[in-house]
Amino acid sequence: MRASTYPLIDADEAAALVLTHTPVLGIEKIALAHCVGRVLAEDLVATASLPAFPSSAVDGYAVRAADAGKQLRVVGESAAGRPFEGKLTPGSAVRILTGGVLPDGADCVVMVEDVEEKGGVVTVPASLKPGLNFHSPGDDLRSGERVLRAGEQLGPAELGLAAALSFPRLPVIRRPRVALMSTGDELVEVGQIPVRGQIVDSNRWALLAALREAGADVKGLGIGPDEPDALRRLVIEALREVDVLVTSGGVSVGTHDLIKPLLESLGTVHVGRVKLKPGKPFTFATLPEGKAAFGLPGFPVSSLVTFEVFVRPALRKMQGFAHLQRPMLPVRLGYDARATAERTEYQRVTLRRDGGELVAETTGSQSSSRLMSLAGAHALVRIPPGNQGIKAGTTVEAMILALP
Ligand code: AMP
Ligand code: MG
């Protein structure tokens, strides 16, 4: 064993360092069908008013308010997509359907329920107001108006707006391409039966899910060996096609821990050890051409917790999101929490509601190999460094993964 030469950095400082060195990616113009969840890269300005024509809100008769109380001759029909081409003259009405164009000369629509029709003549109510029952051009939005801002995430309503304005494609921030590799000679592929001393590579599947959930486009690199030259070749090859490298394992100080020296030789290691539990050996490096590498610890819980604390916010920054962090909320501890000297600890908890408060219960043993501590967890409670621990009933901050 050799002692690590990397300074132990405060967890918040390390997270800030990662973001400082993380660029926002470039712009691509893509079809609406692929835009859901993406971040708009430029303001979207309306090229037309909506509605573009006076449009009936109901089924009924287009009339002149001045003809209130009269018997009117029905001279034609304006259906959706099939306007009445003539002009409405005094004493007449045009049958109109929802979405039909209000004919020239008409200034209101009488609902079909409010008239009597007999032999091509309708009797309209005694009192009518101009403007009744139709939408004027520009009521919903006006040509030249900014309808979406750069930086907004595109969801159903935003995409509906873009479609209504007939934009087939939108400029969005690119998604990060990420190469994902597990390292360790003890690892075997899922589906295989491990022999004594071997374990199944679970991190790659957990991290694949976490990366996809965070918006990354993932390229799987399989299992890398604990052999410096072979590992180096694999990593250099993979980096050609991606923005980010994510590895698990090989970052502690044992002799087989090869990731730190490898990243050191390829770029600059900014974080090599963090005052964080789990996740002390978390490693972050920048590489040539604006690329980045995250060396996550091998223990399954450590890899996922450091993903949440460091990698996810960075991937979100790359994609242009305004909010990088999971929501932090105050929660009341339902258990006595042990603390760790010198290290911020993220303990896995379930949450329940008690009146207006959230109460956190531990998921059991917090061993960094025990994925059961994270499965089904609602939050990571943040236990500041200390020797005393924190008593049940105390309010602490929690990173919310899912609210109950
Ligand atoms: P390391 O960081 O390489 O020293 O690994 C620390 C611990 O995590 C060891 O017990 C490894 O067997 C385990 N580990 C490493 N990589 C994986 C993986 N991909 N899936 C599951 N466990 C792993
Ligand atoms: Mg290893």
Side-chain angles (χ1 to χ4, degrees):
M1 298 282 265
R2 58 187 158 75
S4 178
T5 53
Y6 295 95
L8 253 172
I9 305 179
D10 172 80
D12 289 340
E13 231 172 86
L17 257 176
V18 168
L19 291 179
T20 302
H21 289 286
T22 298
V24 177
L25 298 177
I27 297 172
E28 61 183 348
K29 214 162 177 183
I30 59 172
L32 286 186
H34 298 122
C35 285
V36 63
R38 302 290 291 270
V39 176
L40 188 67
E42 293 161 11
D43 287 355
L44 190 77
V45 176
T47 47
S49 292
L50 290 182
F53 53 84
S55 168
S56 184
V58 297
D59 293 335
Y61 292 87
V63 301
R64 294 154 14 101
D67 282 343
K70 295 185 185 159
Q71 293 197 329
L72 308 174
R73 198 161 47 84
V74 180
V75 295
E77 183 182 271
S78 178
R82 273 178 281 128
F84 174 76
E85 295 301 352
K87 189 172 158 64
L88 189 83
T89 50
S92 57
V94 166
R95 184 180 302 110
I96 193 164
L97 298 156
T98 305
V101 181
L102 189 77
D104 286 347
D107 61 7
C108 69
V109 176
V110 188
M111 285 169 75
V112 70
E113 293 89 333
D114 296 340
V115 304
E116 268 176 50
E117 176 173 18
K118 214 185 216 172
V121 172
V122 288
T123 308
V124 296
S127 150
L128 292 174
K129 277 205 190 83
L132 201 67
N133 291 328
F134 71 93
H135 304 293
S136 294
D139 268 3
D140 291 348
L141 61 90
R142 292 187 179 281
S143 180
E145 192 179 321
R146 178 176 57 197
V147 287
L148 298 174
R149 277 174 196 272
E152 274 189 66
Q153 188 175 11
L154 299 168
E158 291 74 21
L159 291 171
L161 266 173
L165 290 166
S166 208
F167 289 98
R169 302 187 310 147
L170 293 175
V172 297
I173 315 278
R174 212 160 58 66
R175 296 162 61 199
R177 287 166 305 187
V178 179
L180 174 62
M181 180 168 65
S182 297
T183 70
D185 287 339
E186 75 279 29
L187 301 178
V188 297
E189 288 288 354
V190 168
Q192 295 188 341
I193 310 288
V195 300
R196 187 172 157 81
Q198 293 184 324
I199 60 166
V200 178
D201 174 10
S202 63
N203 286 352
R204 193 146 42 94
W205 305 97
L207 290 169
L208 175 67
L211 285 163
R212 288 210 175 134
E213 203 176 60
D217 177 8
V218 186
K219 180 174 184 251
L221 295 184
I223 299 168
D226 286 330
E227 200 280 300
D229 294 334
L231 193 66
R232 186 186 174 82
R233 277 195 300 275
L234 265 174
V235 163
I236 289 174
E237 177 64 26
L239 278 170
R240 285 174 210 238
E241 290 176 35
V242 300
D243 307 296
V244 175
L245 172 71
V246 173
T247 62
S248 82
V251 285
S252 42
V253 289
T255 35
H256 293 295
D257 295 317
L258 309 169
I259 294 293
K260 284 187 174 80
L262 172 59
L263 295 179
E264 190 86 74
S265 76
L266 297 174
T268 308
V269 173
H270 300 278
V271 180
R273 287 194 308 159
V274 187
K275 293 180 186 170
L276 179 66
K277 184 178 179 177
K280 185 174 170 189
F282 167 79
T283 300
F284 168 71
T286 50
L287 305 175
E289 298 170 40
K291 302 185 182 193
F294 295 89
L296 308 185
F299 281 114
V301 177
S302 312
S303 68
L304 285 177
V305 169
T306 50
F307 182 92
E308 284 298 330
V309 175
F310 302 113
V311 186
R312 188 175 181 275
L315 295 174
R316 289 179 64 82
K317 180 172 178 190
M318 288 181 187
Q319 294 167 86
F321 284 106
H323 297 288
L324 306 183
Q325 317 294 343
R326 298 256 191 206
M328 297 291 292
L329 289 178
V331 303
R332 198 175 77 218
L333 283 179
Y335 66 103
D336 290 333
R338 298 226 312 241
T340 302
E342 307 281 307
R343 285 199 277 165
T344 301
E345 192 169 341
Y346 281 94
Q347 295 182 358
R348 284 77 71 199
V349 297
T350 56
L351 297 175
R352 66 185 158 79
R353 292 175 191 271
D354 179 19
E357 274 190 314
L358 291 166
V359 180
E361 298 293 352
T362 179
T363 53
S365 161
Q366 299 288 301
S367 162
S368 56
S369 62
R370 186 174 171 265
L371 267 181
M372 287 296 283
S373 72
L374 197 49
H378 293 124
L380 305 175
V381 293
R382 203 180 142 98
I383 307 295
N387 300 311
Q388 304 300 314
I390 299 183
K391 287 267 169 264
T394 311
T395 296
V396 295
E397 288 280 297
M399 183 193 289
I400 306 298
L401 306 173
L403 280 173

Tab-separated table of all heavy atoms in Angstrom, residues 35-80:
chain	number	residue	atom	x	y	z
A	35	CYS	N	-37.297	15.918	-28.563
A	35	CYS	CA	-36.971	17.074	-27.707
A	35	CYS	C	-37.432	16.944	-26.262
A	35	CYS	O	-37.036	17.747	-25.427
A	35	CYS	CB	-37.596	18.344	-28.283
A	35	CYS	SG	-36.719	18.974	-29.729
A	36	VAL	N	-38.271	15.969	-25.963
A	36	VAL	CA	-38.847	15.929	-24.611
A	36	VAL	C	-37.746	15.778	-23.557
A	36	VAL	O	-36.833	14.979	-23.700
A	36	VAL	CB	-39.928	14.827	-24.474
A	36	VAL	CG1	-39.352	13.453	-24.692
A	36	VAL	CG2	-40.605	14.920	-23.108
A	37	GLY	N	-37.813	16.654	-22.559
A	37	GLY	CA	-36.832	16.622	-21.470
A	37	GLY	C	-35.568	17.418	-21.757
A	37	GLY	O	-34.745	17.603	-20.866
A	38	ARG	N	-35.412	17.894	-22.994
A	38	ARG	CA	-34.193	18.612	-23.350
A	38	ARG	C	-34.312	20.091	-22.975
A	38	ARG	O	-35.388	20.602	-22.698
A	38	ARG	CB	-33.931	18.457	-24.858
A	38	ARG	CG	-33.816	17.001	-25.287
A	38	ARG	CD	-32.551	16.359	-24.783
A	38	ARG	NE	-31.399	16.921	-25.449
A	38	ARG	CZ	-30.879	16.451	-26.575
A	38	ARG	NH1	-31.395	15.390	-27.157
A	38	ARG	NH2	-29.822	17.013	-27.122
A	39	VAL	N	-33.157	20.774	-23.011
A	39	VAL	CA	-33.127	22.199	-22.651
A	39	VAL	C	-33.022	23.035	-23.925
A	39	VAL	O	-32.120	22.820	-24.742
A	39	VAL	CB	-31.944	22.494	-21.704
A	39	VAL	CG1	-31.867	23.988	-21.409
A	39	VAL	CG2	-32.090	21.699	-20.414
A	40	LEU	N	-33.954	23.969	-24.079
A	40	LEU	CA	-33.977	24.839	-25.252
A	40	LEU	C	-32.740	25.742	-25.242
A	40	LEU	O	-32.390	26.321	-24.217
A	40	LEU	CB	-35.255	25.679	-25.222
A	40	LEU	CG	-35.556	26.504	-26.456
A	40	LEU	CD1	-35.865	25.596	-27.643
A	40	LEU	CD2	-36.740	27.437	-26.194
A	41	ALA	N	-32.079	25.861	-26.403
A	41	ALA	CA	-30.818	26.602	-26.458
A	41	ALA	C	-30.994	28.063	-26.856
A	41	ALA	O	-30.116	28.885	-26.580
A	41	ALA	CB	-29.862	25.912	-27.436
A	42	GLU	N	-32.094	28.393	-27.513
A	42	GLU	CA	-32.326	29.784	-27.939
A	42	GLU	C	-33.776	30.147	-27.658
A	42	GLU	O	-34.645	29.281	-27.690
A	42	GLU	CB	-32.086	29.914	-29.459
A	42	GLU	CG	-30.640	29.713	-29.859
A	42	GLU	CD	-30.489	29.373	-31.353
A	42	GLU	OE1	-31.472	29.499	-32.109
A	42	GLU	OE2	-29.381	28.955	-31.729
A	43	ASP	N	-34.026	31.440	-27.431
A	43	ASP	CA	-35.415	31.888	-27.250
A	43	ASP	C	-36.242	31.472	-28.468
A	43	ASP	O	-35.743	31.498	-29.596
A	43	ASP	CB	-35.478	33.421	-27.143
A	43	ASP	CG	-34.933	33.918	-25.807
A	43	ASP	OD1	-34.607	33.090	-24.935
A	43	ASP	OD2	-34.840	35.155	-25.656
A	44	LEU	N	-37.491	31.113	-28.211
A	44	LEU	CA	-38.401	30.807	-29.321
A	44	LEU	C	-39.393	31.962	-29.447
A	44	LEU	O	-40.106	32.280	-28.495
A	44	LEU	CB	-39.137	29.498	-29.054
A	44	LEU	CG	-39.922	28.948	-30.235
A	44	LEU	CD1	-38.962	28.293	-31.233
A	44	LEU	CD2	-40.946	27.920	-29.776
A	45	VAL	N	-39.405	32.588	-30.619
A	45	VAL	CA	-40.262	33.749	-30.858
A	45	VAL	C	-41.386	33.344	-31.812
A	45	VAL	O	-41.139	32.665	-32.814
A	45	VAL	CB	-39.431	34.915	-31.446
A	45	VAL	CG1	-40.322	36.092	-31.802
A	45	VAL	CG2	-38.365	35.339	-30.434
A	46	ALA	N	-42.605	33.756	-31.478
A	46	ALA	CA	-43.764	33.375	-32.306
A	46	ALA	C	-43.658	34.013	-33.685
A	46	ALA	O	-43.421	35.214	-33.807
A	46	ALA	CB	-45.051	33.802	-31.617
A	47	THR	N	-43.823	33.184	-34.722
A	47	THR	CA	-43.778	33.664	-36.106
A	47	THR	C	-45.185	33.928	-36.618
A	47	THR	O	-45.376	34.341	-37.751
A	47	THR	CB	-43.120	32.596	-36.995
A	47	THR	OG1	-43.710	31.333	-36.672
A	47	THR	CG2	-41.620	32.533	-36.743
A	48	ALA	N	-46.194	33.654	-35.774
A	48	ALA	CA	-47.586	33.885	-36.159
A	48	ALA	C	-48.370	34.141	-34.879
A	48	ALA	O	-47.893	33.821	-33.789
A	48	ALA	CB	-48.132	32.656	-36.881
A	49	SER	N	-49.548	34.734	-35.026
A	49	SER	CA	-50.427	34.886	-33.870
A	49	SER	C	-51.303	33.654	-33.749
A	49	SER	O	-51.633	33.014	-34.740
A	49	SER	CB	-51.320	36.125	-34.034
A	49	SER	OG	-50.533	37.289	-33.965
A	50	LEU	N	-51.699	33.340	-32.530
A	50	LEU	CA	-52.628	32.233	-32.300
A	50	LEU	C	-53.805	32.718	-31.466
A	50	LEU	O	-53.569	33.345	-30.438
A	50	LEU	CB	-51.937	31.080	-31.576
A	50	LEU	CG	-50.884	30.293	-32.384
A	50	LEU	CD1	-50.328	29.155	-31.531
A	50	LEU	CD2	-51.469	29.751	-33.674
A	51	PRO	N	-55.059	32.434	-31.834
A	51	PRO	CA	-55.364	31.868	-33.144
A	51	PRO	C	-55.040	32.870	-34.258
A	51	PRO	O	-54.954	34.072	-34.002
A	51	PRO	CB	-56.861	31.581	-33.076
A	51	PRO	CG	-57.386	32.458	-31.998
A	51	PRO	CD	-56.267	32.677	-31.034
A	52	ALA	N	-54.901	32.352	-35.470
A	52	ALA	CA	-54.533	33.207	-36.599
A	52	ALA	C	-55.759	33.881	-37.209
A	52	ALA	O	-55.634	34.822	-37.994
A	52	ALA	CB	-53.805	32.379	-37.649
A	53	PHE	N	-56.948	33.395	-36.849
A	53	PHE	CA	-58.213	33.938	-37.395
A	53	PHE	C	-59.228	33.932	-36.267
A	53	PHE	O	-59.046	33.208	-35.279
A	53	PHE	CB	-58.684	33.071	-38.576
A	53	PHE	CG	-58.766	31.610	-38.226
A	53	PHE	CD1	-59.902	31.087	-37.595
A	53	PHE	CD2	-57.699	30.742	-38.476
A	53	PHE	CE1	-59.969	29.736	-37.257
A	53	PHE	CE2	-57.772	29.391	-38.134
A	53	PHE	CZ	-58.907	28.899	-37.525
A	54	PRO	N	-60.316	34.727	-36.393
A	54	PRO	CA	-61.354	34.662	-35.344
A	54	PRO	C	-62.000	33.287	-35.393
A	54	PRO	O	-62.504	32.883	-36.431
A	54	PRO	CB	-62.327	35.781	-35.731
A	54	PRO	CG	-62.076	36.043	-37.177
A	54	PRO	CD	-60.660	35.677	-37.468
A	55	SER	N	-61.953	32.570	-34.277
A	55	SER	CA	-62.276	31.145	-34.275
A	55	SER	C	-63.404	30.873	-33.285
A	55	SER	O	-63.328	31.272	-32.114
A	55	SER	CB	-60.997	30.414	-33.862
A	55	SER	OG	-61.261	29.073	-33.571
A	56	SER	N	-64.438	30.187	-33.749
A	56	SER	CA	-65.591	29.952	-32.876
A	56	SER	C	-65.227	29.011	-31.735
A	56	SER	O	-64.560	28.002	-31.932
A	56	SER	CB	-66.757	29.363	-33.671
A	56	SER	OG	-67.869	29.241	-32.804
A	57	ALA	N	-65.699	29.356	-30.514
A	57	ALA	CA	-65.413	28.536	-29.339
A	57	ALA	C	-66.486	27.478	-29.127
A	57	ALA	O	-66.317	26.596	-28.278
A	57	ALA	CB	-65.323	29.431	-28.104
A	58	VAL	N	-67.587	27.581	-29.875
A	58	VAL	CA	-68.734	26.679	-29.648
A	58	VAL	C	-69.368	26.296	-30.984
A	58	VAL	O	-69.026	26.843	-32.031
A	58	VAL	CB	-69.815	27.385	-28.776
A	58	VAL	CG1	-69.272	27.728	-27.398
A	58	VAL	CG2	-70.350	28.641	-29.472
A	59	ASP	N	-70.324	25.372	-30.916
A	59	ASP	CA	-71.187	25.094	-32.068
A	59	ASP	C	-72.397	26.025	-31.960
A	59	ASP	O	-72.975	26.157	-30.875
A	59	ASP	CB	-71.686	23.646	-32.026
A	59	ASP	CG	-70.554	22.641	-32.220
A	59	ASP	OD1	-69.528	23.008	-32.841
A	59	ASP	OD2	-70.707	21.495	-31.756
A	60	GLY	N	-72.780	26.677	-33.069
A	60	GLY	CA	-73.921	27.595	-32.987
A	60	GLY	C	-74.117	28.353	-34.292
A	60	GLY	O	-73.937	27.798	-35.377
A	61	TYR	N	-74.411	29.649	-34.135
A	61	TYR	CA	-74.666	30.494	-35.311
A	61	TYR	C	-73.887	31.791	-35.181
A	61	TYR	O	-73.921	32.442	-34.137
A	61	TYR	CB	-76.172	30.795	-35.445
A	61	TYR	CG	-76.925	29.539	-35.796
A	61	TYR	CD1	-77.368	28.681	-34.795
A	61	TYR	CD2	-77.113	29.166	-37.131
A	61	TYR	CE1	-78.006	27.491	-35.110
A	61	TYR	CE2	-77.747	27.972	-37.457
A	61	TYR	CZ	-78.192	27.135	-36.437
A	61	TYR	OH	-78.801	25.959	-36.745
A	62	ALA	N	-73.170	32.115	-36.265
A	62	ALA	CA	-72.463	33.395	-36.310
A	62	ALA	C	-73.457	34.456	-36.755
A	62	ALA	O	-74.128	34.284	-37.785
A	62	ALA	CB	-71.295	33.304	-37.289
A	63	VAL	N	-73.565	35.529	-35.969
A	63	VAL	CA	-74.572	36.569	-36.261
A	63	VAL	C	-73.978	37.944	-35.960
A	63	VAL	O	-72.828	38.057	-35.526
A	63	VAL	CB	-75.857	36.361	-35.403
A	63	VAL	CG1	-76.471	34.995	-35.670
A	63	VAL	CG2	-75.560	36.534	-33.915
A	64	ARG	N	-74.814	38.994	-36.177
A	64	ARG	CA	-74.442	40.344	-35.765
A	64	ARG	C	-75.195	40.633	-34.475
A	64	ARG	O	-76.408	40.399	-34.405
A	64	ARG	CB	-74.835	41.360	-36.845
A	64	ARG	CG	-74.057	41.190	-38.149
A	64	ARG	CD	-74.824	41.718	-39.359
A	64	ARG	NE	-75.954	42.533	-39.004
A	64	ARG	CZ	-75.968	43.872	-39.035
A	64	ARG	NH1	-74.897	44.544	-39.460
A	64	ARG	NH2	-77.043	44.536	-38.701
A	65	ALA	N	-74.504	41.160	-33.456
A	65	ALA	CA	-75.171	41.428	-32.166
A	65	ALA	C	-76.349	42.374	-32.357
A	65	ALA	O	-77.339	42.315	-31.628
A	65	ALA	CB	-74.161	42.011	-31.169
A	66	ALA	N	-76.245	43.217	-33.402
A	66	ALA	CA	-77.314	44.181	-33.672
A	66	ALA	C	-78.612	43.486	-34.079
A	66	ALA	O	-79.690	44.084	-34.025
A	66	ALA	CB	-76.863	45.153	-34.772
A	67	ASP	N	-78.529	42.203	-34.484
A	67	ASP	CA	-79.724	41.455	-34.899
A	67	ASP	C	-80.361	40.700	-33.729
A	67	ASP	O	-81.199	39.815	-33.937
A	67	ASP	CB	-79.367	40.466	-36.011
A	67	ASP	CG	-79.238	41.148	-37.371
A	67	ASP	OD1	-79.745	42.294	-37.505
A	67	ASP	OD2	-78.624	40.553	-38.276
A	68	ALA	N	-79.973	41.034	-32.472
A	68	ALA	CA	-80.515	40.351	-31.285
A	68	ALA	C	-82.038	40.334	-31.323
A	68	ALA	O	-82.671	41.327	-31.685
A	68	ALA	CB	-80.025	41.040	-30.018
A	69	GLY	N	-82.634	39.176	-30.970
A	69	GLY	CA	-84.081	39.043	-30.856
A	69	GLY	C	-84.790	38.821	-32.187
A	69	GLY	O	-86.002	38.581	-32.219
A	70	LYS	N	-84.053	38.842	-33.301
A	70	LYS	CA	-84.713	38.729	-34.608
A	70	LYS	C	-84.734	37.292	-35.105
A	70	LYS	O	-84.015	36.439	-34.592
A	70	LYS	CB	-83.974	39.597	-35.635
A	70	LYS	CG	-84.047	41.079	-35.339
A	70	LYS	CD	-83.408	41.854	-36.460
A	70	LYS	CE	-83.374	43.342	-36.108
A	70	LYS	NZ	-82.361	44.049	-36.895
A	71	GLN	N	-85.514	37.095	-36.149
A	71	GLN	CA	-85.480	35.834	-36.888
A	71	GLN	C	-84.516	36.021	-38.041
A	71	GLN	O	-84.639	36.976	-38.809
A	71	GLN	CB	-86.880	35.503	-37.416
A	71	GLN	CG	-87.850	35.199	-36.288
A	71	GLN	CD	-89.083	34.491	-36.808
A	71	GLN	OE1	-89.504	34.706	-37.948
A	71	GLN	NE2	-89.655	33.629	-35.971
A	72	LEU	N	-83.535	35.132	-38.155
A	72	LEU	CA	-82.466	35.307	-39.157
A	72	LEU	C	-82.459	34.120	-40.124
A	72	LEU	O	-82.631	32.974	-39.696
A	72	LEU	CB	-81.098	35.421	-38.462
A	72	LEU	CG	-81.013	36.464	-37.338
A	72	LEU	CD1	-79.645	36.373	-36.641
A	72	LEU	CD2	-81.214	37.881	-37.907
A	73	ARG	N	-82.175	34.428	-41.371
A	73	ARG	CA	-82.109	33.389	-42.394
A	73	ARG	C	-80.715	32.752	-42.362
A	73	ARG	O	-79.707	33.474	-42.346
A	73	ARG	CB	-82.355	34.035	-43.768
A	73	ARG	CG	-82.751	33.062	-44.868
A	73	ARG	CD	-83.428	33.827	-46.022
A	73	ARG	NE	-82.628	35.017	-46.354
A	73	ARG	CZ	-81.571	35.002	-47.179
A	73	ARG	NH1	-81.192	33.890	-47.776
A	73	ARG	NH2	-80.887	36.121	-47.414
A	74	VAL	N	-80.668	31.416	-42.330
A	74	VAL	CA	-79.364	30.718	-42.315
A	74	VAL	C	-78.865	30.613	-43.759
A	74	VAL	O	-79.501	29.983	-44.605
A	74	VAL	CB	-79.496	29.313	-41.685
A	74	VAL	CG1	-78.135	28.609	-41.679
A	74	VAL	CG2	-80.040	29.420	-40.264
A	75	VAL	N	-77.718	31.275	-44.028
A	75	VAL	CA	-77.262	31.399	-45.419
A	75	VAL	C	-76.063	30.496	-45.738
A	75	VAL	O	-75.598	30.479	-46.882
A	75	VAL	CB	-76.895	32.864	-45.754
A	75	VAL	CG1	-78.132	33.744	-45.694
A	75	VAL	CG2	-75.802	33.386	-44.819
A	76	GLY	N	-75.575	29.752	-44.751
A	76	GLY	CA	-74.431	28.880	-45.067
A	76	GLY	C	-73.817	28.318	-43.804
A	76	GLY	O	-74.392	28.435	-42.707
A	77	GLU	N	-72.652	27.719	-43.953
A	77	GLU	CA	-72.004	27.043	-42.825
A	77	GLU	C	-70.498	27.344	-42.826
A	77	GLU	O	-69.877	27.435	-43.878
A	77	GLU	CB	-72.217	25.528	-42.960
A	77	GLU	CG	-71.630	24.760	-41.780
A	77	GLU	CD	-71.792	23.265	-41.940
A	77	GLU	OE1	-72.835	22.743	-41.498
A	77	GLU	OE2	-70.875	22.627	-42.502
A	78	SER	N	-69.938	27.487	-41.617
A	78	SER	CA	-68.483	27.611	-41.457
A	78	SER	C	-68.030	26.500	-40.511
A	78	SER	O	-68.228	26.587	-39.306
A	78	SER	CB	-68.135	28.995	-40.882
A	78	SER	OG	-66.740	29.091	-40.693
A	79	ALA	N	-67.460	25.441	-41.106
A	79	ALA	CA	-66.978	24.307	-40.297
A	79	ALA	C	-65.474	24.464	-40.090
A	79	ALA	O	-64.823	25.256	-40.780
A	79	ALA	CB	-67.289	22.995	-41.000
A	80	ALA	N	-64.918	23.695	-39.132
A	80	ALA	CA	-63.459	23.753	-38.893
A	80	ALA	C	-62.741	23.379	-40.181
A	80	ALA	O	-63.000	22.326	-40.769
A	80	ALA	CB	-63.077	22.800	-37.767
